[in-house]
Amino acid sequence: MPYLILAAATIFMSCNGIGATLYNRKNSSFKETAKLYNLLILGTVFICWLIKFLTNPMFDFTVIIYSLVFTVGYTTAMLSSICAYREGPMMLSSLIMQLSMISTTVWGFFFWGSEITAPIIVGLLLVVVALVLCLYTGKVGEGEKKRISAKWILYILLFFVGNSVGTITQRTQQLDFDSAYGDFFMTVATAVSFAVCLFVYLKSDKTDTKKILEGSWYVPILCGAFNFLQNLFVIKLAALLSANIVYPVLMIGSLAVTSIFSIVIFKERMNWWQWLGVILGAIAIALLC
């Protein structure tokens, strides 16, 4: 049973990139698609966490401080991720988003007393090499469109920073409160994030909202539900399997599923050195976990 839960969590984790890419392609001719997507996905995530919290309403108002810090990073990551999948290759976007988890490893060296080992040093070096290989596009022929744009790099950077802030804050809250009040923490954070996305959406051009909803309303809602289930399953796995098994399988497995969809369904193509970068990135993830 634990391995079935892990397999399900891995599939749910990969659904974010697949869903975002599908949504972008279905609505490429419409305006303000990202703002509506973020509103629907965060609304779904918030409702799920609220229901989970109400089943066992334990809270400590001190946690709100952690939630607000987490919200800054989480909202930044969510707002930028859909744009990154729109502007660049799904596979590379997914890889670099997975690599954003290395921030917790580096942070742990300084603040959580984590041990610096040889595999971690090698893993960090491989991350640098993988990023260089993936971001280098080579010469672009006349009339060809660059696969990696300045906008994509900006959105990926925003996601990297935002996800780092969110992940570090989430773990810090759990350490400081002996793994308690996680539901309250996430409910407050996702409520604020949803409120921000609602404000942004209401200020946007809503001309194409009806058309977007008619063709793909279910995509962000499903992605939001999968995001909740993924996090819920990971919490359950903490008591069932070693973290040395859970996190490498989650990140490498979701990257593999995303890669398959990228090639088979979305027909994305990359240079050989970018493929090498993806492989080295996967190895780096395994070493860092």
Side-chain angles (χ1 to χ4, degrees):
M1 182 60 71
Y3 292 99
L4 290 177
I5 295 175
L6 179 57
T10 301
I11 294 172
F12 291 152
M13 191 172 187
S14 65
C15 286
N16 181 54
I18 296 170
T21 302
L22 176 63
Y23 176 88
N24 282 326
R25 295 198 176 195
K26 286 175 71 70
N27 301 294
S28 59
S29 61
F30 300 136
K31 294 180 288 187
E32 303 290 9
T33 56
K35 293 172 183 176
L36 179 58
Y37 181 90
N38 288 320
L39 177 68
L40 293 174
I41 192 172
L42 280 167
T44 304
V45 173
F46 164 61
I47 291 171
C48 289
W49 278 112
L50 178 61
I51 294 172
K52 179 69 168 58
F53 168 69
L54 292 176
T55 61
N56 186 26
M58 296 176 58
F59 60 89
D60 183 331
F61 287 116
T62 310
V63 172
I64 293 177
I65 300 173
Y66 293 81
S67 291
L68 293 178
V69 176
F70 173 83
T71 299
V72 174
Y74 180 73
T75 307
T76 300
M78 292 298 289
L79 293 178
S80 57
S81 65
I82 180 68
C83 296
Y85 283 116
R86 182 187 66 209
E87 297 293 336
M90 182 176 72
M91 195 185 314
L92 294 187
S93 299
S94 179
L95 171 65
I96 296 178
M97 288 178 185
Q98 301 291 0
L99 291 177
S100 68
M101 299 296 291
I102 67 171
S103 58
T104 56
T105 302
V106 176
W107 185 271
F109 297 153
F110 299 100
F111 299 100
W112 296 329
S114 300
E115 183 182 359
I116 301 177
T117 63
I120 287 178
I121 294 174
V122 174
L124 291 173
L125 291 174
L126 285 178
V127 167
V128 175
V129 176
L131 289 175
V132 171
L133 289 171
C134 288
L135 296 177
Y136 177 66
T137 56
K139 293 182 179 180
V140 179
E142 187 176 348
E144 289 183 353
K145 183 182 178 181
K146 293 183 70 173
R147 291 191 181 95
I148 295 177
S149 65
K151 282 186 177 181
W152 179 78
I153 293 175
L154 173 62
Y155 290 132
I156 280 293
L157 181 61
L158 286 172
F159 178 91
F160 198 100
V161 174
N163 195 57
S164 298
V165 171
T167 303
I168 291 170
T169 305
Q170 187 179 47
R171 180 165 172 78
T172 301
Q173 184 274 322
Q174 288 290 283
L175 290 172
D176 290 350
F177 289 84
D178 295 325
S179 301
Y181 311 118
D183 292 349
F184 178 64
F185 169 84
M186 288 300 298
T187 300
V188 172
T190 53
V192 177
S193 294
F194 173 65
V196 170
C197 288
L198 179 61
F199 176 79
V200 171
Y201 169 73
L202 291 175
K203 292 288 185 179
S204 68
D205 183 349
K206 297 179 280 296
T207 305
D208 294 328
T209 292
K210 184 178 179 180
K211 295 177 183 177
I212 296 171
L213 290 175
E214 287 175 349
S216 55
W217 61 269
Y218 58 91
V219 177
I221 291 177
L222 283 175
C223 287
F226 290 155
N227 180 274
F228 166 75
L229 289 172
Q230 169 214 320
N231 284 285
L232 185 63
F233 284 3
V234 170
I235 292 172
K236 289 184 177 297
L237 287 168
L240 299 174
L241 293 173
S242 167
N244 293 333
I245 296 175
V246 174
Y247 290 102
V249 171
L250 272 176
M251 289 188 278
I252 297 174
S254 64
L255 179 61
V257 173
T258 302
S259 299
I260 292 171
F261 269 80
S262 170
I263 298 167
V264 178
I265 305 299
F266 298 120
K267 309 299 181 183
E268 291 186 349
R269 295 292 180 265
M270 299 194 305
N271 297 311
W272 67 265
W273 59 82
Q274 290 176 314
W275 278 108
L276 179 60
V278 171
I279 294 171
L280 292 178
I283 295 173
I285 290 169
L287 291 172
L288 291 171
C289 290

